[in-house]
Amino acid sequence: MEAINMLDLQAEFRHIKDDVRAAIENVLEHQWFVGGPEVQQLEEKLAAMCGCKFAAAISSGTDALLCALMSLGIEAGDEVITTPFTFFATAGCIHRLGATPVFVDIEPDTFNINPKLLESAITAKTKVILPVHLFGQCAEMDVINDIAVRNGNLPVLEDAAQAIGSTYRDRPAGSLATAAAMSFYPTKNLGGFGEGGMIVTDDESLVERCRMTRNHGETSRYHHAFVGGNFRLDTMKCAILLAKLPHLAGFQAARVHNAARYGALLADSPVQTPAIRPHNKSCFHQYSILCDRRDELMAHLKECKVGCGVYYPIPLHMQECFKPLGYEESDFPVSMEVAGRILSLPIHPMLSDKEVEFAAAAIKTFFEG
Ligand SMILES: Cc1ncc(COP(=O)(O)O)c(C=O)c1O
């Protein structure tokens, strides 16, 4: 068996290359590299896919979070509630605006923000709640939205960077709150050719604000109502994403299939396979198991040439840069425990059944022997 990697972007490309090359050729012909027609086309497609009225294409998922928070009016002194068990960008964007990330621990099985702990974290300074749909499974949005309504109609921003194509109670990720930020980072389920992101929302004035924010707060040429940034997504990247979009459902189905295979193969092993709530459909951006002796298992998988990864080894309250927030390690025990036991296995759409079986067998051999 050849090495089984966490991703096989070359193989994915072989499936789509004719469509992608045609899209690139088209942009080369029209030469409209910023703000070309493909930008709006991608916005319309993504909005429809997410069940939203509007979308704004943004330079990355990080910038989508930042631009959305700026457009929601977040500024110094504000508090934004989020999870400590996420990619750094979620909290980094809050901090960059001079606001304070207020962390709330996660559920032990879904790894998403624990709604039972959320309300007690709300203060007079809370301006936004920012749940993350980690690994593709949506956070408990109905409960989170109820809490937001009860507490002065707080806006809720979904970090849906990992959840394109997921649903919660049959509603798509991205349509579940005030607005959502998506990522097209190349390793994401809808991975672009470089950085990329999107904000989706039903709120017309918010999307207008986001569009101005991504363009230096410009209202009309050389008139700036406020200070924004350059958060635009290139036409070329939008054209490539448009070409990839029709293939997404097939790739997604392959991920779901692989997850089901792992579930069956690992059912009688000592590892804990992902707990997807009955009302959730995950796009399986990652397939993350919990296990004891995680680091030894990683070393064993490496020997067997099975790729794996730890997302995320250090919860954000333990990051050097957030020391001034004054958190103790013990403040978020579930995040700490999960960070020490979690391991993500290859789940990408190009895996064969044999490869999934090989990876699962390698895990079982480790615990048997
Ligand atoms: C949960 C989460 N939020 C935000 C981001 C930021 O997205 P990007 O890498 O496109 O800036 C990522 C991407 O890795 C992510 O996984």
Side-chain angles (χ1 to χ4, degrees):
M1 179 72 64
E2 286 196 7
I4 302 172
N5 296 319
M6 286 298 276
L7 276 172
D8 191 347
L9 293 181
Q10 284 97 344
E12 271 187 51
F13 182 61
R14 284 194 288 277
H15 267 259
I16 59 172
K17 65 181 176 186
D18 292 343
D19 294 349
V20 169
R21 289 217 161 97
I24 291 173
E25 190 61 33
N26 205 30
V27 177
L28 292 180
E29 286 301 325
H30 72 50
Q31 290 281 308
W32 192 353
F33 293 115
V34 178
E38 289 84 352
V39 178
Q40 199 183 329
Q41 285 164 24
L42 183 68
E43 288 175 346
E44 284 166 8
K45 286 259 161 71
L46 252 291
M49 200 187 121
C50 295
C52 286
K53 290 193 189 133
F54 310 104
I58 303 288
S59 37
S60 69
T62 302
D63 288 345
L65 284 169
L66 186 68
C67 182
L69 289 172
M70 287 169 82
S71 305
L72 288 165
I74 296 307
E75 55 188 21
D78 293 341
E79 292 178 355
V80 177
I81 298 179
T82 193
T83 158
F85 195 67
T86 176
F87 179 62
F88 181 77
T90 316
C93 291
I94 300 167
H95 184 83
R96 283 169 68 185
L97 295 173
T100 304
V102 173
F103 296 122
V104 166
D105 211 356
I106 55 171
E107 298 175 320
D109 53 350
T110 68
F111 320 129
N112 282 328
I113 194 165
N114 189 336
K116 292 195 186 98
L117 306 174
L118 180 56
E119 199 149 15
S120 61
I122 295 176
T123 73
K125 292 183 183 169
T126 307
K127 293 288 151 56
V128 170
I129 301 172
L130 208 179
V132 178
H133 305 322
L134 202 70
F135 306 143
Q137 169 157 224
C138 290
E140 202 45 68
M141 293 306 294
D142 281 356
V143 183
I144 294 170
N145 285 330
D146 278 352
I147 293 170
V149 169
R150 269 208 309 278
N151 288 273
N153 261 329
L154 287 169
V156 179
L157 175 62
E158 297 169 66
D159 182 338
Q162 303 185 0
I164 288 182
S166 299
T167 61
Y168 170 85
R169 300 190 192 279
D170 296 323
R171 282 136 53 202
S175 70
L176 306 171
T178 313
M182 309 258 169
S183 166
F184 306 128
Y185 187 74
T187 60
K188 293 291 192 291
N189 289 30
L190 180 60
F193 286 14
E195 307 283 352
M198 187 72 71
I199 295 168
V200 290
T201 181
D202 275 344
D203 182 335
E204 189 164 18
S205 62
L206 181 61
V207 81
E208 279 313 315
R209 183 88 181 173
C210 291
R211 287 187 180 137
M212 280 195 262
T213 305
R214 80 175 164 189
N215 201 24
H216 295 295
E218 201 174 61
T219 43
S220 58
R221 201 78 181 118
Y222 300 125
H223 290 77
H224 302 267
F226 57 91
V227 178
N230 176 354
F231 303 135
R232 299 181 297 256
L233 184 58
D234 306 296
T235 311
M236 187 70 90
K237 289 179 181 170
C238 291
I240 292 165
L241 287 162
L242 275 169
K244 285 191 86 172
L245 209 47
H247 300 275
L248 182 63
F251 286 160
Q252 209 88 287
R255 283 176 183 269
V256 171
H257 170 81
N258 293 339
R261 290 293 298 146
Y262 274 128
L265 294 162
L266 295 173
D268 58 350
S269 81
V271 308
Q272 185 181 314
T273 54
I276 307 298
R277 298 264 189 266
H279 52 266
N280 275 341
K281 287 203 175 78
S282 175
C283 69
F284 284 105
H285 173 57
Q286 298 290 355
Y287 187 88
S288 305
I289 58 170
L290 287 181
C291 57
D292 298 331
R293 298 164 60 208
R294 191 263 320 274
D295 295 344
E296 285 170 67
L297 174 59
M298 272 179 85
H300 171 77
L301 290 177
K302 196 169 173 200
E303 258 171 45
C304 301
K305 294 196 189 150
V306 174
C308 56
V310 175
Y311 312 107
Y312 296 94
I314 308 171
L316 298 188
H317 70 295
M318 287 289 94
Q319 295 291 343
E320 171 99 40
C321 62
F322 289 139
K323 267 195 189 149
L325 296 177
Y327 286 112
E328 305 282 337
E329 183 174 318
S330 57
D331 285 338
F332 306 112
V334 182
S335 296
M336 289 307 298
E337 203 214 312
V338 168
R341 297 184 65 222
I342 200 152
L343 188 65
S344 299
L345 306 177
I347 183 79
H348 69 78
M350 295 296 128
L351 285 177
S352 65
D353 281 353
K354 280 213 156 47
E355 288 173 314
V356 174
E357 281 155 23
F358 185 88
I363 293 170
K364 288 176 126 175
T365 337
F366 171 77
F367 284 105
E368 280 157 15

